[in-house]
Amino acid sequence: MDLFSAAFALLYQFGDAFAFLVLAACGLAIIFGMMGVINLAHGEFIMCGAYVTVAAARVGIPLPVAVVSGAVASGLVGMLVERIVVRPLYRRPLDTIVATWGVSLIATQGTLILLGSTMAGIGTPFGSIDVGGYSYSVYRLVLIAAAIAVLVGLYLVFNATRFGIVARATIQVPHMAEALGVNTGRVYGITFGLGTALAGLAGGLYAPTMTLVPTMGSTFLMEAFVTVVVGGADVFLGTAPAAVVLGLVKALLTSWQGQLFGQIGLLVAVIIVIRILPKGFSGFFLRERA
């Protein structure tokens, strides 16, 4: 393999790992970082998005519309879960762990009973390109672009819209926001729904690349949580830098010794970062600003 091919392969693997971490973690980062809720059902919202996307695509709906429908379905289910299960447990983080774990088990077993142990996929679109004698999926490049678009979109939503200002005010000083006439319950519900919709979007985007099984959410959950932990409480200052660092470590070790070493290296990097930066990257950047 020549130098250009090797560089392209490494860059492609890095972009693929970065996209996976960003798309898997953004929804969790909003719910955990901004609301303090530890959502152990995050993987099941990803599964919901994937299943709805595939079901919609198989009846003839174009894939982009099917992906959006998966995100919307997860968002609506998330708002329902927030209203019934999570809302009474705000400021009780240990209780939210148990409650969302229960939701996770119900969703997994319910999907297994109703839809079976697997669901036929739809295949990866757009074909592949050849570089240096190796084939690379074009759809993976689409996922990289989608991850960047999600980061930019979230930044604009929470920094350039009235909803973003109200949401940040509600989450930071809820009693003051409520005194000013803000419907804090509605803001919490919409924010939680946005987080689960992003989880559904991740599932919908990755549905063409995976075998759909009721336990598929666990594939995303571990890497989503470590990205959020390394990133810290601020979704904008933390998630992207964490995905860059962890994605680079994973890509380098995967290209050197394979997928297993990439996963081990990812976890070792997480241990090192949280040992040096207990509050994650966002804590470091906020401290530098101060």
Side-chain angles (χ1 to χ4, degrees):
M1 183 183 292
D2 58 36
L3 183 59
F4 173 78
S5 299
F8 181 85
L10 179 60
L11 187 62
Y12 182 89
Q13 287 185 336
F14 164 70
D16 187 31
F18 170 80
F20 185 88
L21 292 172
V22 166
L23 292 172
C26 272
L28 186 65
I30 288 176
I31 293 173
F32 174 62
M34 298 185 70
M35 303 179 68
V37 174
I38 302 173
N39 180 22
L40 289 186
H42 180 71
E44 281 59 51
F45 287 110
I46 292 175
M47 176 195 68
C48 175
Y51 270 74
V52 172
T53 297
V54 170
R58 289 174 64 185
V59 298
I61 296 176
L63 183 59
V65 179
V67 171
V68 172
S69 67
V72 170
S74 289
L76 293 175
V77 173
M79 293 176 71
L80 181 64
V81 169
E82 187 275 340
R83 184 67 183 88
I84 297 174
V85 178
V86 177
R87 187 170 298 187
L89 304 177
Y90 285 130
R91 296 175 181 83
R92 293 162 58 186
L94 295 180
D95 291 345
T96 63
I97 293 176
V98 176
T100 55
W101 181 51
V103 172
S104 169
L105 294 177
I106 292 169
T108 301
Q109 295 303 312
T111 303
L112 178 62
I113 293 169
L114 295 175
L115 301 178
S117 60
T118 187
M119 184 176 186
I122 54 177
T124 306
F126 305 134
S128 61
I129 56 174
D130 294 327
V131 177
Y134 292 87
S135 293
Y136 299 93
S137 171
V138 175
Y139 188 68
R140 297 285 179 175
L141 301 178
V142 174
L143 294 176
I144 296 170
I148 295 172
V150 165
L151 288 173
V152 173
L154 285 177
Y155 180 82
L156 293 176
V157 166
F158 282 100
N159 290 277
T161 67
R162 184 179 182 279
F163 166 76
I165 295 171
V166 170
R168 287 187 288 117
T170 299
I171 290 161
Q172 292 172 9
V173 195
H175 60 279
M176 183 63 72
E178 192 165 3
L180 293 173
V182 174
N183 187 333
T184 55
R186 180 182 299 172
V187 172
Y188 280 129
I190 294 174
T191 305
F192 194 92
L194 176 60
T196 56
L198 288 171
L201 178 66
L205 287 170
Y206 278 94
T209 70
M210 304 179 68
T211 300
L212 270 62
V213 295
T215 57
M216 64 175 291
S218 60
T219 305
F220 296 81
L221 188 61
M222 183 275 287
E223 296 195 17
F225 262 105
V226 298
T227 303
V228 171
V229 169
V230 170
D234 192 297
V235 62
F236 306 110
L237 294 177
T239 303
V244 168
V245 171
L246 298 179
L248 184 60
V249 169
K250 185 177 179 180
L252 286 171
L253 292 178
T254 298
S255 63
W256 177 43
Q257 289 290 339
Q259 189 72 25
L260 178 60
F261 268 73
Q263 290 292 110
I264 295 172
L266 178 74
L267 297 177
V268 171
V270 170
I271 294 171
I272 293 172
V273 171
I274 61 176
R275 178 66 181 86
I276 299 173
L277 302 172
K279 295 185 178 180
F281 284 109
S282 63
F284 171 76
F285 291 131
L286 290 172
R287 184 180 63 190
E288 290 295 311
R289 284 183 177 182

